[in-house]
Amino acid sequence: MTTQDQPNDQAGVAPERNGETKSPLNLGAALLSFILPGFGQLTQMRSGAFVGHLSLYALAAAIPFTVLYFFWEGLPPRWRGDIAPVFLLLPLPFLMVLFSALDAAYWKRGEPSRMRRPVRRLGIAIVCICGGLVILLPMISAAREAARRMQCANNLKQLALCMHNYYSNYGEYPPAYTVDASGKPLHSWRVLLLPYMYQQKLYDEIRLDEPWDSDHNRQFHSRMPSMYRCPSEKDGGLLRYLIDRYPNMERGNLNCSYSIVVGDQTVFPGPKSTKNGDITDGTSNTILIVERLVPACWMAPTHEITFEDASLGVNASLNGPGSAHAGGCMAVMADGAEQYFSETISPELFKATLTRAGGETAFDFLK
């Protein structure tokens, strides 16, 4: 029988029997509680509390994991590297140990665990939070992708502006690549745009009279300006495919998301330059730069999209236009306007936007 002078055993206070106080929790059990969350409750024959606390720890740890995962997903690919999401689980055992240590410390002092009192309220709160996250996370992910797509469009607009500035200086668009006296390709058009994107120092360090993969120029493969990479791009099997196809290229060199389409009918017929007067279809109807499905080295002069591959459509060829954006890719027209092309666009219609003088003059979906 419980009186006001006797502690309540059910309340978690150790009762006095025959003048002796029951040992609340020995040191060994307290140490073991660092290994198994809730072990203190289990050694006290309080299996219900053990299960309850263990469930609470797991739910409480799920929230930091979710936050860490979406933080990791939002990092640029060059920062994520090869870290798998499973490694984000590593902080969870430490959080569970911390909760268990706090609980065991109270029992070691012979006091009821203060973590037991709000357990029901906290458990309900965690369940509500997790339920809210299940509803909100898809919306957050969609908003994040929309922001990435907007940043990708901005990258393309900036690249088009750099090309127009080049045009203002030379009276023509940059060639797809430069060549030496024997006609061997040396550098990509991206290198020629460096002075127009505040990268004059990098431009001066590159030896333009040597090939892009010479002993000296190879050191710049990893120093690509961030403007050349789409924020939605993720490493995966497509990169491994390209590495297998070009074994001399290192994985870190496959970093550029944007390409031009090279062909006699496009704005970039190889080492030759074109002018706005050559784009008789209209600059608003002709693609200037487009996303590529598989990244390439930004300095490589010949790893561009060919007119034949691009004519197959969006996301239709590993060497053609495409992106990590769901259902299509971004491009910028010769007049500087960005445009999203769905992968459902017919190859014939998409091919018409690639030609500079094919006779097509108006596209309703571009308006």
Side-chain angles (χ1 to χ4, degrees):
M1 178 176 180
T2 302
T3 65
Q4 294 180 353
D5 298 330
Q6 293 177 335
N8 191 338
D9 184 42
Q10 295 181 353
V13 179
E16 294 184 0
R17 297 179 182 177
N18 298 327
E20 296 181 359
T21 302
K22 180 182 177 181
S23 176
L25 184 65
N26 60 42
L27 181 60
L31 292 176
L32 285 176
S33 67
F34 282 86
I35 302 175
L36 180 62
F39 190 81
Q41 288 79 17
L42 190 61
T43 56
Q44 292 289 328
M45 303 302 293
R46 301 176 63 250
S47 57
F50 168 71
V51 175
H53 281 244
L54 186 60
S55 301
L56 175 63
Y57 300 156
L59 286 174
I63 295 178
F65 169 74
T66 304
V67 173
L68 286 173
Y69 175 77
F70 279 91
F71 174 78
W72 170 88
E73 190 182 42
L75 290 175
R78 64 180 181 275
W79 291 359
R80 290 200 308 261
D82 296 326
I83 299 177
V86 69
F87 287 103
L88 298 179
L89 292 170
L90 293 179
L92 303 189
F94 296 98
L95 291 173
M96 298 173 72
V97 165
L98 175 61
F99 296 148
S100 182
L102 292 174
D103 187 69
Y106 283 113
W107 279 95
K108 179 61 181 173
R109 294 168 54 184
E111 300 177 4
S113 173
R114 297 181 184 177
M115 296 182 64
R116 291 177 54 208
R117 299 177 182 177
V119 63
R120 182 178 300 177
R121 187 177 304 171
L122 184 58
I124 295 175
I126 290 177
V127 171
C128 293
I129 292 174
C130 290
L133 289 175
V134 171
I135 298 175
L136 294 177
L137 287 182
M139 300 173 60
I140 296 174
S141 180
R144 181 181 291 112
E145 173 54 28
R148 290 172 178 170
R149 180 168 153 181
M150 185 179 300
Q151 179 60 44
C152 178
N154 184 66
N155 288 346
L156 286 167
K157 288 180 67 69
Q158 293 300 318
L159 291 177
L161 179 61
C162 292
M163 277 203 173
H164 289 163
N165 289 336
Y166 181 99
Y167 191 100
S168 298
N169 279 351
Y170 295 96
E172 57 188 10
Y173 288 107
Y177 51 86
T178 60
V179 296
D180 60 12
S182 62
K184 180 181 178 180
L186 293 178
H187 292 281
S188 166
W189 58 275
R190 304 178 191 89
V191 176
L192 301 180
L193 293 186
L194 288 177
Y196 304 96
M197 56 177 63
Y198 304 103
Q199 296 288 339
Q200 184 67 47
K201 181 179 179 180
L202 177 59
Y203 181 79
D204 294 337
E205 293 179 11
I206 297 174
R207 294 178 181 175
L208 300 178
D209 57 341
E210 296 182 6
W212 66 283
D213 56 351
S214 67
D215 292 338
H216 173 79
N217 289 332
R218 193 176 292 117
Q219 62 180 305
F220 305 110
H221 291 180
S222 60
R223 294 176 58 183
M224 181 191 73
S226 59
M227 193 181 300
Y228 285 133
R229 189 178 184 93
C230 171
S232 292
E233 184 181 301
K234 298 180 180 179
D235 297 345
L238 294 178
L239 276 179
R240 290 191 292 272
Y241 170 86
L242 196 59
I243 292 173
D244 292 339
R245 184 166 183 176
Y246 302 102
N248 294 330
M249 296 182 66
E250 300 176 1
R251 176 169 181 163
N253 298 335
L254 308 181
N255 45 20
C256 184
S257 309
Y258 307 113
S259 258
I260 58 175
V261 179
V262 179
D264 293 336
Q265 304 179 57
T266 71
V267 181
F268 302 96
K272 300 179 181 179
S273 300
T274 60
K275 302 179 180 181
N276 282 331
D278 300 323
I279 309 177
T280 58
D281 289 347
T283 56
S284 62
N285 299 323
T286 306
I287 289 178
L288 189 67
I289 308 172
V290 67
E291 285 190 272
R292 55 182 301 126
L293 185 58
V294 179
C297 180
W298 73 284
M299 294 181 66
T302 57
H303 295 168
E304 302 294 343
I305 301 174
T306 65
F307 181 71
E308 291 73 21
D309 285 329
S311 298
L312 298 177
V314 178
N315 291 336
S317 170
L318 288 174
N319 297 316
S323 73
H325 306 302
C329 71
M330 296 295 301
V332 64
M333 313 307 287
D335 65 348
E338 76 275 8
Q339 179 67 41
Y340 180 78
F341 287 92
S342 172
E343 62 185 9
T344 59
I345 185 175
S346 67
E348 294 77 14
L349 185 57
F350 187 70
K351 179 179 179 180
T353 65
L354 300 174
T355 59
R356 67 177 188 272
E360 308 88 4
T361 57
F363 300 96
D364 293 337
F365 71 96
L366 295 179
K367 306 304 180 184

